[in-house]
Amino acid sequence: MIIHTMKSELPNAKAEKFYDFMIEPTDEAYSNWLPEHYQYHIVKRGKQTPIGDLVYFDQNISPKHRLKSYAITKVANRPNQIIVQIRMFGINLPAYMELQFTDTANGILLKEELQVGYNGIGKILDPIIRLFINKSFLGALDAHHKKEWARLAEILKGK
């Protein structure tokens, strides 16, 4: 299993605003966030919305890496945690993105964690997964993480 964790401290930010922005996405707000963000919106509401909501996202994290997929909200603990499972071709993949927002005296501590792969016998597929989730991809993800969350903190300050 590949587990990749990124952390940022975002001054003057509030966990509740970050949570709300991520759980009720719109293409307009998403594309205004960064030019390399194209779409992020709810495709279908879950029976226990936001749990079960199917969202679509499309973004470049670098000139060589584009993320274009669906995700299902698995956990939504307002205002501190969101976990989504990536879905492609109508299949839930063994890939999860977790966001944790923790208020501090100076702003928020953001933890973003990507988990991809299997436990148990499924681990034999990890070498194939590493062809896609490689050092180049993870380096691009790190750089994008720092840029996008700092920018969102600026945007949400005015709200």
Side-chain angles (χ1 to χ4, degrees), residues 8-28:
S8 292
E9 292 183 39
L10 303 165
N12 303 314
K14 296 287 182 204
E16 192 168 309
K17 285 186 176 185
F18 272 68
Y19 176 93
D20 290 345
F21 185 91
M22 295 305 297
I23 215 70
E24 285 293 333
T26 66
D27 288 343
E28 182 182 1

Side-chain angles (χ1 to χ4, degrees), residues 46-78:
K47 290 180 182 176
Q48 298 177 325
T49 191
I51 305 297
D53 285 359
L54 179 66
V55 296
Y56 176 77
F57 62 92
D58 181 4
Q59 67 176 325
N60 280 332
I61 61 168
S62 78
K64 294 182 178 180
H65 300 94
R66 187 168 183 170
L67 299 176
K68 188 175 181 177
S69 186
Y70 293 89
I72 297 174
T73 305
K74 295 293 187 175
V75 175
N77 292 324
R78 189 170 202 273

Side-chain angles (χ1 to χ4, degrees), residues 62 64-65 134-141:
S62 78
K64 294 182 178 180
H65 300 94
N134 53 33
K135 285 184 182 181
S136 172
F137 176 82
L138 294 175
L141 193 61

Side-chain angles (χ1 to χ4, degrees), residues 81-107:
Q81 182 188 40
I82 300 169
I83 300 175
V84 297
Q85 182 176 16
I86 308 303
R87 181 179 179 95
M88 293 182 84
F89 312 113
I91 300 169
N92 292 345
L93 301 178
Y96 297 85
M97 180 62 76
E98 178 177 4
L99 298 172
Q100 289 183 3
F101 312 106
T102 305
D103 282 318
T104 67
N106 299 321

Side-chain angles (χ1 to χ4, degrees), residues 91-138:
I91 300 169
N92 292 345
L93 301 178
Y96 297 85
M97 180 62 76
E98 178 177 4
L99 298 172
Q100 289 183 3
F101 312 106
T102 305
D103 282 318
T104 67
N106 299 321
I108 67 169
L109 177 61
L110 168 70
K111 178 181 167 189
E112 182 176 13
E113 186 170 274
L114 175 66
Q115 297 179 15
V116 183
Y118 295 94
N119 290 319
I121 190 122
K123 281 196 250 185
I124 62 172
L125 297 174
D126 280 358
I128 296 168
I129 293 168
R130 287 188 189 281
L131 292 173
F132 302 97
I133 311 295
N134 53 33
K135 285 184 182 181
S136 172
F137 176 82
L138 294 175

